[in-house]
Amino acid sequence: MRFSRCLLFTLLSSLALPAFAAAEGPRDPEYWLQRMGPALAKTSYQGVFVYVRGDQVSSMQIAHRFQNGQVEERLVMQDGKAGEIVRKGMNVVCVLPEQGRLELNHVMPSGPFAGAYTRQLAPVGRFYRPEVAGDDRIAGHEVVKLMLNATDSLRYSHQLWLEKSTGLPIKGKVLSGSGQVLEYFHFTSLTLSDSLPDQAFRIQSEGLEVSRTLLPQASSEPDAGATNNNGWALGWKPPGFQPVAATVPGSENAVAFSDGLASFSVFVEPATGIEMPSGSSKIGATTVYMQKLESKPQEFLVTVIGEVPLETALKVAQSVTIEDSGVLGSAQP
């Protein structure tokens, strides 16, 4: 499979939520949702978190700050072979030593913070029931526990523990409809600081470097027949999911979607020379579904990957239609 391990890392995005009445207090879930948005982008911090997906356990070091109007972030793998991701704004560089050929074409905002917290977030109350579930203490910080229960079977439920002074999520779980924990992240150490040194955001690993620029894909709530300029159209998507990011035009035919908590991406590419069987796989909350799509005289490979149930990924993939095979690329003889 051509997906890079960079998919497993966090690329935090900012969140803009609707304004709520000033009278709402700290026991109101909307109060904490409102604080969480700015905290994700504008809180400066460094620490170490554990990220568990199924039976895969990873430990990562992170430094994050908001400077000169953009997010800067560096993540370093703490287990196995060294590697890191450095992000400045929407520019991302991934270094994975001894990993051979690497592509960032499939990088999207994803990872332990439950996907891409987007600028175009549909009202949470339409698709999740928010509830404050009590107080706790994590990595030396006072937190409030926030539950976001899915209102339909098209998405998963979430639990978030937010640091009280900032609203920053420092623990989170993704749960199935039956309440099973599919994946979670948990900070084991966290330091809040507005004076992180520039050195903390510079690449320090030796190895193959691959860079990519993610482009925000502005959108209001589109019709079900979502179309893009990549030569294919999406006939169905779960309510509330909106386009949020795409790779550089011409590099890959991919679009990411998010409802503000969960995210998934759709990739469409010529199937020539690609021996990938149709079917699905799952790690934690992340589902991968692949199928071939006939569009004479070519065949295309449609892949849906993201933090959604298999039934949702399958329905999304089956709704893809090819509108311009020339844009997607000609088949090679």
Side-chain angles (χ1 to χ4, degrees):
M1 185 174 297
R2 300 172 63 199
F3 302 111
S4 76
R5 289 182 62 188
C6 293
L7 269 172
L8 306 183
F9 293 112
T10 309
L11 302 177
L12 297 182
S13 301
S14 61
L15 168 69
L17 289 162
F20 299 102
E24 293 173 332
R27 307 313 302 175
D28 191 311
E30 282 83 5
Y31 169 86
W32 292 106
L33 287 172
Q34 185 183 34
R35 294 194 68 192
M36 181 176 67
L40 282 165
K42 297 182 178 181
T43 302
S44 294
Y45 60 90
Q46 59 184 355
V48 175
F49 64 86
V50 174
Y51 180 28
V52 180
R53 304 167 71 238
D55 60 357
Q56 296 184 356
V57 182
S58 301
S59 179
M60 302 183 195
Q61 181 182 15
I62 183 172
H64 178 102
R65 71 181 178 185
F66 186 78
Q67 182 167 281
N68 299 324
Q70 69 176 8
V71 170
E72 297 184 20
E73 191 170 80
R74 178 171 174 261
L75 294 105
V76 182
M77 292 187 290
Q78 301 295 287
D79 307 309
K81 296 177 180 178
E84 61 184 276
I85 289 179
V86 175
R87 171 191 173 191
K88 290 191 176 181
M90 297 300 281
N91 298 314
V92 183
V93 177
C94 183
V95 182
L96 292 181
E98 302 180 27
Q99 293 295 314
R101 185 169 179 267
L102 173 69
E103 296 186 8
L104 279 188
N105 295 330
H106 291 160
V107 170
M108 64 179 181
S110 184
F113 292 92
Y117 293 94
T118 74
R119 291 183 176 88
Q120 293 92 18
L121 174 64
V124 168
R126 290 179 57 191
F127 308 107
Y128 299 92
R129 292 189 301 272
E131 175 187 349
V132 172
D135 302 313
D136 205 342
R137 190 166 182 268
I138 296 174
H141 296 269
E142 299 297 323
V143 299
V144 61
K145 181 180 179 182
L146 186 64
M147 301 179 65
L148 294 161
N149 297 311
T151 59
D152 58 38
S153 61
L154 301 174
R155 68 204 82 218
Y156 295 126
S157 295
H158 299 259
Q159 295 177 354
L160 294 170
W161 285 255
L162 309 182
E163 199 276 326
K164 285 187 176 181
S165 69
T166 61
L168 180 72
I170 62 175
K171 180 179 177 180
K173 294 182 179 180
V174 183
L175 297 92
S176 69
S178 63
Q180 177 188 4
V181 177
L182 301 175
E183 66 182 51
Y184 70 88
F185 75 92
H186 183 160
F187 271 91
T188 57
S189 67
L190 176 67
T191 300
L192 304 174
S193 174
D194 290 325
S195 58
L196 298 180
D198 292 342
Q199 181 66 22
F201 301 91
R202 293 174 183 154
I203 295 173
Q204 299 177 29
S205 299
E206 295 291 335
L208 174 67
E209 293 185 16
V210 180
S211 62
R212 184 68 72 232
T213 300
L214 300 178
L215 300 179
Q217 185 148 332
S219 172
S220 57
E221 180 68 25
D223 295 332
T227 307
N228 59 71
N229 61 1
N230 291 329
W232 56 271
L234 194 64
W236 181 87
K237 59 181 179 58
F241 280 83
Q242 302 179 27
V244 293
T247 52
V248 175
S251 63
E252 283 289 341
N253 300 294
V255 178
F257 299 83
S258 176
D259 68 353
L261 289 174
S263 64
F264 67 86
S265 280
V266 182
F267 311 103
V268 183
E269 56 190 331
T272 303
I274 302 176
E275 297 299 328
M276 296 296 296
S278 298
S280 65
S281 63
K282 189 176 182 65
I283 303 176
T286 301
T287 297
V288 179
Y289 180 79
M290 309 177 73
Q291 72 172 36
K292 296 288 183 65
L293 175 62
E294 293 278 354
S295 181
K296 295 185 181 299
Q298 290 182 252
E299 189 176 49
F300 295 89
L301 181 65
V302 177
T303 304
V304 178
I305 179 170
E307 298 148 340
V308 292
L310 174 59
E311 294 75 11
T312 301
L314 186 150
K315 191 172 181 179
V316 169
Q318 292 180 340
S319 77
V320 172
T321 57
I322 304 301
E323 300 209 324
D324 189 341
S325 60
V327 173
L328 284 163
S330 299
Q332 297 298 320

